[in-house]
Amino acid sequence: MKAPLSSYNYPRILVDFPCCNERAIVRGNQIKADIYIQMIERLPKIYLYRRLVQAKLFIDKNYHEAIDLNDIADEAYFSKFHFIRQFKNIYGKTPHQYLIKVRIENARLLLKKNIPVADVCYAVGFDSITSFSALFKKLTSCSPANYQQAELKRQNDMQQSPLKFIPACFAGEKEWLQKRNFQ
């Protein structure tokens, strides 16, 4: 007669699955099949996702440096071609497209501070002003110099008459501007 599995005298082993922060108690080589299958099904997705997020954070942190695809893929522990496919599946852009987007967004912030275009170009990680200007215009439909002039003019207008920049402001319609100190 065969004894039930629970009465086997296998040593109990606590197994950690660091990818999904879960633990399982294993008796010898007997693992409950349903728990094991559930963990195996979830492990690759969670583990892959964390690695991709780590690579994205690496781009966000180091966008101003001369990083390339090999550096980013190494951060995620993927081959670069597998990394490109996985990154695009998750974020809808290739890592290079995402890096360019982050650089242009940061360039827009610097241009608003009246920093010269050439200085902004090198500060956000571009090597040439020509490629920076072309990519900036492609993503924002405006050259960096025109964008900077428009933003500086907008900031100046905001300081002179801030109520114009409040959407649906009805202070002018109600004639409150003449009666009170709104400007």
Side-chain angles (χ1 to χ4, degrees):
M1 182 171 189
K2 197 171 186 180
L5 284 177
S6 61
S7 66
Y8 283 148
N9 203 10
Y10 290 120
R12 288 183 168 186
I13 302 169
L14 186 61
V15 177
D16 288 326
F17 293 91
C19 302
C20 59
N21 293 327
E22 294 193 23
R23 291 181 164 183
I25 296 175
V26 177
R27 279 181 192 254
N29 60 0
Q30 298 291 319
I31 299 174
K32 289 188 173 183
D34 56 339
I35 294 173
Y36 180 74
I37 290 171
Q38 287 175 1
M39 295 182 101
I40 292 300
E41 287 174 351
R42 291 189 330 205
L43 270 176
K45 293 177 185 171
I46 293 170
Y47 187 60
L48 292 175
Y49 185 73
R50 284 188 178 181
R51 289 163 55 183
L52 291 170
V53 168
Q54 185 176 350
K56 181 184 172 290
L57 294 174
F58 177 76
I59 294 171
D60 291 340
K61 184 179 176 185
N62 299 302
Y63 68 90
H64 58 285
E65 296 177 7
I67 57 174
D68 62 3
L69 183 60
N70 289 326
D71 297 333
I72 302 167
D74 286 348
E75 190 68 23
Y77 307 107
F78 285 120
S79 72
K80 63 181 180 182
F81 300 109
H82 184 65
F83 173 66
I84 290 170
R85 283 192 303 271
Q86 294 297 321
F87 194 91
K88 190 168 184 176
N89 278 342
I90 297 294
Y91 294 108
K93 297 176 187 261
T94 64
H96 183 69
Q97 290 170 334
Y98 181 75
L99 175 64
I100 296 299
K101 179 185 164 252
V102 169
R103 285 178 172 171
I104 295 297
E105 289 299 320
N106 283 289
R108 291 172 69 170
L109 294 175
L110 293 175
L111 288 171
K112 288 180 183 179
K113 295 178 182 176
N114 199 16
I115 298 173
V117 174
D119 293 346
V120 170
C121 168
Y122 298 119
V124 295
F126 285 98
D127 290 333
S128 86
I129 295 173
T130 307
S131 65
F132 168 67
S133 296
L135 289 169
F136 191 93
K137 190 169 186 174
K138 182 180 175 184
L139 293 179
T140 63
S141 303
C142 183
S143 71
N146 289 342
Y147 178 82
Q148 187 175 41
Q149 288 174 351
E151 282 299 316
L152 293 176
K153 183 181 180 312
R154 184 174 167 268
Q155 288 174 5
N156 191 25
D157 290 347
M158 284 178 78
Q159 288 179 350
Q160 290 181 0
S161 56
L163 291 181
K164 287 182 181 177
F165 295 90
I166 298 174
C169 181
F170 52 86
E173 295 174 8
K174 304 281 184 179
E175 298 179 2
W176 293 353
L177 298 177
Q178 297 165 359
K179 296 177 184 174
R180 300 191 183 202
N181 191 13
F182 271 100
Q183 294 185 4

